[in-house]
């Protein structure tokens, strides 16, 4: 008998939704009414700008060399598009908020800040952004058939004012990121929501989760004979990935270091307030982001590291000063310390790209079917610049973007382009018919030389 077609949405609504859905398979039964893998959008935000001279690649087009700060991304060079000559003029001339606040507020909205009472650097008049962010606009417009319209993840963001928000449901409507990986795991893959009851409740949660994993294992075992060898490998790898995440959260063997842990939640809980735990927290969030995309639990993810004008400490990099202070230490030692932080963030992006690239989808990978946008709120850190922003794309959104090239809009006397046009280009690449995005006074059309 011909096996009944099972749509991805139906899989997500069934028992698999309690822990994890099967990643995209080649087999017809798993595709249902989708003829090709969907496109995904990921934002990767890091704070405090960059050192332009050490960030911008050398060369042009596909004949380019990654700069020192981008060296960790070398394995993915063929899937990158670093950009030069993109300005954020929409917030350059605003007198509301510091450059850091203006930058992060307009980063995904393409609009200036509203007036308010938030303190940002030497300014006390900053409010929230005056527009919707691209991620939320995509969700509203494309209406992806996923359990989660969008997934906002944070890594020690801490700031609850304008400096700590990149996502907006609309003007004056910030969306806070999920900063607790334990909560993230529970919402994405957990079997139940624990209520009051302390250790007994957590024991029940673990028992329920083990039961669901057993059910998932049985269903996968039943499915495996019906799919090809490539899909069997994918199923096994996905199951192991989810188990690895749960094991690390529960403090089992192979888990993260748990120095400074508190509370008996999901085993030995990482202290989320300890700066030394930033790498462990970030890795958990990135692993879950990749799994959620592969599961088709969501198609739109933002990952926010810290906050604009971040004063985060980096003891795991053997640095003593805070990030913002180091970014303005303009001597040789300060630039070396700042470069160390920026290189570390590039390493984190490389880790995420590697996770996405590990999922195969037909003749492409999950990374190929995604476009990742790496952004920060200012350009040259020593100048608080909002011009020539160090933006970078990774992945082709299913073949839309022509990757493996350095796109320099300032080459040969070229003129700067607006970041509103970059946001519009991304929106169109992902499936919208928009002709403008953000403030229309700063949006003239899609950027050339990207698609």
């Amino acid at each position: 008998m011909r096996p009944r077609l099972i749509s991805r949405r139906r899989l997500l609504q069934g028992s698999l939704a309690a822990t994890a859905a099967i990643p995209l398979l080649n087999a017809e039964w798993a595709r249902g009414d989708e003829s090709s893998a969907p496109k995904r959008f990921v934002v990767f935000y890091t704070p405090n700008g960059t050192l332009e001279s050490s960030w911008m690649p050398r060369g042009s087009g596909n004949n380019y060399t990654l700069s020192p700060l981008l060296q960790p991304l070398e394995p993915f060079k063929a899937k990158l598009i670093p950009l030069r000559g993109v300005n954020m003029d929409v917030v350059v001339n605003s007198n509301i908020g510091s450059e850091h606040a203006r930058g992060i507020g307009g980063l995904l909205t393409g609009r200036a800040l509203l007036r308010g009472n938030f303190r940002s650097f030497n300014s006390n008049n900053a409010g929230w952004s005056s527009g919707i962010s691209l991620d939320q606009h995509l969700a509203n417009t494309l209406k992806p058939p996923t359990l989660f319209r969008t997934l906002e993840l944070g890594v020690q963001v801490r700031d609850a004012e304008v400096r700590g928000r990149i996502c907006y449901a609309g003007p004056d409507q910030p969306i806070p990121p999920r900063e607790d990986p334990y909560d993230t795991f529970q919402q994405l893959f957990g079997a139940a929501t624990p209520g009051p009851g302390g250790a007994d409740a957590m024991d029940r949660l673990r028992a329920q989760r083990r039961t669901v994993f057993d059910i998932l294992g049985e269903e996968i075992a039943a499915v495996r004979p019906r799919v090809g060898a490539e899909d069997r490998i994918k199923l096994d790898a996905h199951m192991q990935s989810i188990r690895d995440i749960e094991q690390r959260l529960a403090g089992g063997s192979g888990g993260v270091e748990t120095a400074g842990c508190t509370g008996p939640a999901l085993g030995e809980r990482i202290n989320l307030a300890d700066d030394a735990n930033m790498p462990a927290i970030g890795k958990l969030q990135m692993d879950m982001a990749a799994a959620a995309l592969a599961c088709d639990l969501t198609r739109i993810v933002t990952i926010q590291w810290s906050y604009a004008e971040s004063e985060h400490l980096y003891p795991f990099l053997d640095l003593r000063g805070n990030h913002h202070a180091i970014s303005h230490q303009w001597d040789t030692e300060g630039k070396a310390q700042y470069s160390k932080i920026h290189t570390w963030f590039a390493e984190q992006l490389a880790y995420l790209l590697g996770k996405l690239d590990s999922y195969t989808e037909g003749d492409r990978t999950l990374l190929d079917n995604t476009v990742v946008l790496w952004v920060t709120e200012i350009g040259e850190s020593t100048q608080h610049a909002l011009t020539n922003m160090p933006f970078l794309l990774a992945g082709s959104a299913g073949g839309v973007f022509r990757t493996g090239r350095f796109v320099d809009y300032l080459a040969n006397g070229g003129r700067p382009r607006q970041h509103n046009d970059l946001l519009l280009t991304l929106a169109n690449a992902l499936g919208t018919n928009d002709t403008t995005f953000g403030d229309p006074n700063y949006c003239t059309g899609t950027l050339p030389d990207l698609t």
Side-chain angles (χ1 to χ4, degrees), residues 55-362:
W55 189 92
M56 289 296 167
R58 308 292 184 266
S60 62
N62 56 15
N63 184 24
Y64 79 100
T65 303
L66 288 173
S67 58
L69 296 185
L70 298 181
Q71 277 303 308
L73 301 176
E74 182 67 33
F76 306 99
K77 182 182 174 184
K79 300 188 179 188
L80 303 180
I81 308 178
L83 300 173
R84 179 170 180 256
V86 177
N87 292 352
M88 292 182 66
D89 285 355
V90 69
V91 294
V92 165
N93 298 319
S94 171
N95 61 359
I96 301 176
S98 70
E99 289 88 347
H100 286 282
R102 282 183 264 155
I104 197 169
L107 205 53
L108 298 183
T109 65
R111 289 186 178 273
L113 295 180
L114 298 169
R115 193 170 296 276
N117 298 314
F118 296 140
R119 178 173 178 77
S120 61
F121 198 46
N122 57 355
S123 173
N124 294 303
N125 66 346
W128 300 117
S129 179
S130 59
I132 189 172
S133 56
L134 179 59
D135 57 309
Q136 300 302 308
H137 173 71
L138 289 172
N140 292 345
T141 303
L142 302 177
K143 296 178 173 56
T146 55
L147 289 181
F148 295 86
R149 294 173 65 255
T150 58
L151 180 62
E152 298 80 27
L153 300 178
V155 183
Q156 295 186 323
V157 174
R158 299 173 179 169
D159 195 305
E161 297 185 349
V162 63
R163 298 182 307 175
R165 300 292 179 262
I166 61 175
C167 301
Y168 287 83
D172 212 21
Q173 299 176 60
I175 300 175
R178 298 172 182 265
E179 297 186 58
D180 187 336
Y182 301 88
D183 173 69
T184 303
F185 183 87
Q186 179 184 307
Q187 293 297 316
L188 291 175
F189 309 113
T193 302
D200 290 341
M202 294 312 303
D203 286 342
R204 289 195 298 272
L205 173 61
R206 293 189 190 99
Q208 289 169 326
R209 186 168 289 150
R210 282 194 297 270
T211 299
V212 174
F213 268 108
D214 290 340
I215 294 173
L216 177 61
E218 293 172 2
E219 294 197 10
I220 287 181
V223 165
R224 290 180 89 257
R226 298 164 53 188
V227 300
E230 181 181 340
D231 283 340
R232 287 197 294 271
I233 293 173
K234 186 182 299 185
L235 290 173
D236 294 342
H238 175 69
M239 187 67 179
Q240 184 59 48
S241 176
I242 300 302
R243 285 194 184 280
D244 287 346
I245 293 171
E246 186 188 45
Q247 186 177 54
R248 297 211 312 276
L249 285 169
S253 60
V256 294
E257 294 294 326
T258 55
C261 296
T262 61
L266 286 176
E268 294 294 325
R269 183 182 178 92
I270 299 172
N271 182 354
L272 302 180
D274 187 346
D275 287 350
N277 286 333
M278 189 183 206
I281 297 166
K283 186 176 181 182
L284 284 168
Q285 297 285 55
M286 290 188 291
D287 284 352
M288 284 184 278
L293 290 167
C295 293
D296 210 26
L297 292 172
T298 190
R299 297 177 184 176
I300 303 169
V301 175
T302 55
I303 303 176
Q304 179 180 345
W305 295 79
S306 195
Y307 60 96
E309 198 183 312
S310 171
E311 295 181 328
H312 204 285
L313 300 176
Y314 293 82
F316 51 90
L317 296 178
D318 296 323
L319 299 177
R320 295 183 179 179
N322 75 67
H323 192 182
H324 186 251
I326 290 173
S327 74
H328 289 290
Q329 186 179 336
W330 300 341
D331 57 17
T332 301
E333 180 183 0
K335 290 182 178 180
Q337 292 178 358
Y338 183 78
S339 296
K340 198 171 186 178
I341 296 173
H342 201 294
T343 301
W344 182 79
F345 276 125
E347 290 171 354
Q348 306 318 297
L349 178 59
Y351 176 82
L352 176 63
L353 298 184
K355 293 294 293 187
L356 298 179
D357 217 29
S358 69
Y359 288 97
T360 58
E361 295 182 339

